[in-house]
Amino acid sequence: MKNTTKRILKSTSAFALLFAAVLSGTAQKGEFGIRVMPTFSSFSAQSSSGGTIKGEVTLGYGFGALLGFNFTDHVGVQVEGIYTSISQKYVENDQEHKVHLKYINIPLLLSLNTGKLNPINLNAVLGPQLGLSAGSSIDSSGSGDGTTSTTAVVSVKKGDIGFAYGAGLDFGLNPLNTLRLSIGFRGVYGLLDISDNSRTIENDSYYILDKTHVKTYAGYLGFSILF
């Protein structure tokens, strides 16, 4: 019984020491940051006759936070929460339509770094992104040319899945390089058709989105801290 108790105590002590070593080894590998992301978007629309309309790229915005874990100085993972508002402008029959889409995006990214604690770190990220619709709307202006009296309607599904990718530079702002300034690029390619044409609309209305995939291109500026 005594030998069994000793073995249990030794095993418990060894596990405790190993757990403490893991904690001490990962104590400086966490990362938290905030970002702002001016965003350009691209998505197609359809005309009242069913044809495809090429939209005009407009500037949107995004902002959010990230939480990361670095396995080594060169490899890590990060999850982000980003609120994004994007829009696209279309003109049909002298009438202008501006479609607004809002999403809460949650990318889960693999991060590759030249040196996380270096004074200057070059990084690349890639991974899946889940998008949750936070609202959609359309603004129409102009009287049109009199050839049509139909009304454009925008309707999107509740979620989207995309592939996110990007690259950036981190600059150390303190002697230990644990306070970082980050600048970079982020692109997202939407994998799903976001248009939802299931609800009933009036006879003189039409869905302006049909078989629509969203692509976004953003720059970002942010600050993060390693802990």
Side-chain angles (χ1 to χ4, degrees):
M1 183 68 180
K2 284 185 177 181
N3 290 336
T4 302
T5 303
K6 285 181 179 180
R7 282 196 292 267
I8 293 174
L9 289 174
K10 285 181 180 179
S11 300
T12 304
S13 299
F15 179 78
L17 290 172
L18 177 61
F19 185 67
V22 170
L23 287 180
S24 64
T26 61
Q28 301 300 318
K29 293 184 177 180
E31 183 175 10
F32 175 77
I34 56 174
R35 286 179 176 172
V36 293
M37 305 178 73
T39 303
F40 293 93
S41 60
S42 172
F43 53 89
S44 59
Q46 69 171 352
S47 65
S48 56
S49 60
T52 301
I53 306 173
K54 186 174 179 60
E56 178 183 333
V57 176
T58 56
L59 178 64
Y61 64 89
F63 58 86
L66 69 89
L67 184 64
F69 179 84
N70 302 299
F71 300 106
T72 71
D73 204 31
H74 305 289
V75 180
V77 292
Q78 62 190 54
V79 61
E80 302 175 2
I82 305 169
Y83 176 83
T84 304
S85 177
I86 57 177
S87 60
Q88 196 90 151
K89 188 184 296 184
Y90 307 92
V91 176
E92 181 188 12
N93 299 323
D94 295 330
Q95 190 172 36
E96 182 179 278
H97 306 290
K98 193 169 185 179
V99 179
H100 306 277
L101 304 178
K102 298 177 182 179
Y103 281 92
I104 297 173
N105 293 313
I106 307 172
L108 177 61
L109 305 171
L110 173 68
S111 174
L112 304 176
N113 304 274
T114 56
K116 197 66 182 181
L117 281 171
N118 289 352
I120 300 178
N121 170 52
L122 173 64
N123 68 78
V125 298
L126 71 163
Q129 173 174 289
L130 172 65
L132 304 175
S133 175
S136 60
S137 61
I138 183 169
D139 297 326
S140 300
S141 60
S143 57
D145 60 5
T147 61
T148 180
S149 59
T150 56
T151 301
V153 175
V154 59
S155 180
V156 300
K157 295 173 182 173
K158 293 181 179 180
D160 187 22
I161 295 176
F163 177 76
Y165 57 93
L169 287 170
D170 303 322
F171 301 92
L173 299 178
N174 63 342
L176 295 178
N177 298 316
T178 54
L179 181 61
R180 320 285 289 177
L181 169 68
S182 302
I183 59 172
F185 163 80
R186 176 69 57 79
V188 178
Y189 184 87
L191 301 177
L192 301 182
D193 172 14
I194 66 165
S195 55
D196 179 10
N197 299 348
S198 61
R199 66 189 181 99
T200 303
I201 58 176
E202 302 294 333
N203 291 332
D204 59 350
S205 301
Y206 69 98
Y207 290 110
I208 198 168
L209 299 182
D210 183 55
K211 296 181 176 62
T212 300
H213 296 253
V214 175
K215 291 182 282 187
T216 60
Y217 311 93
Y220 66 80
L221 172 66
F223 293 93
S224 65
I225 184 169
L226 300 175
F227 56 90

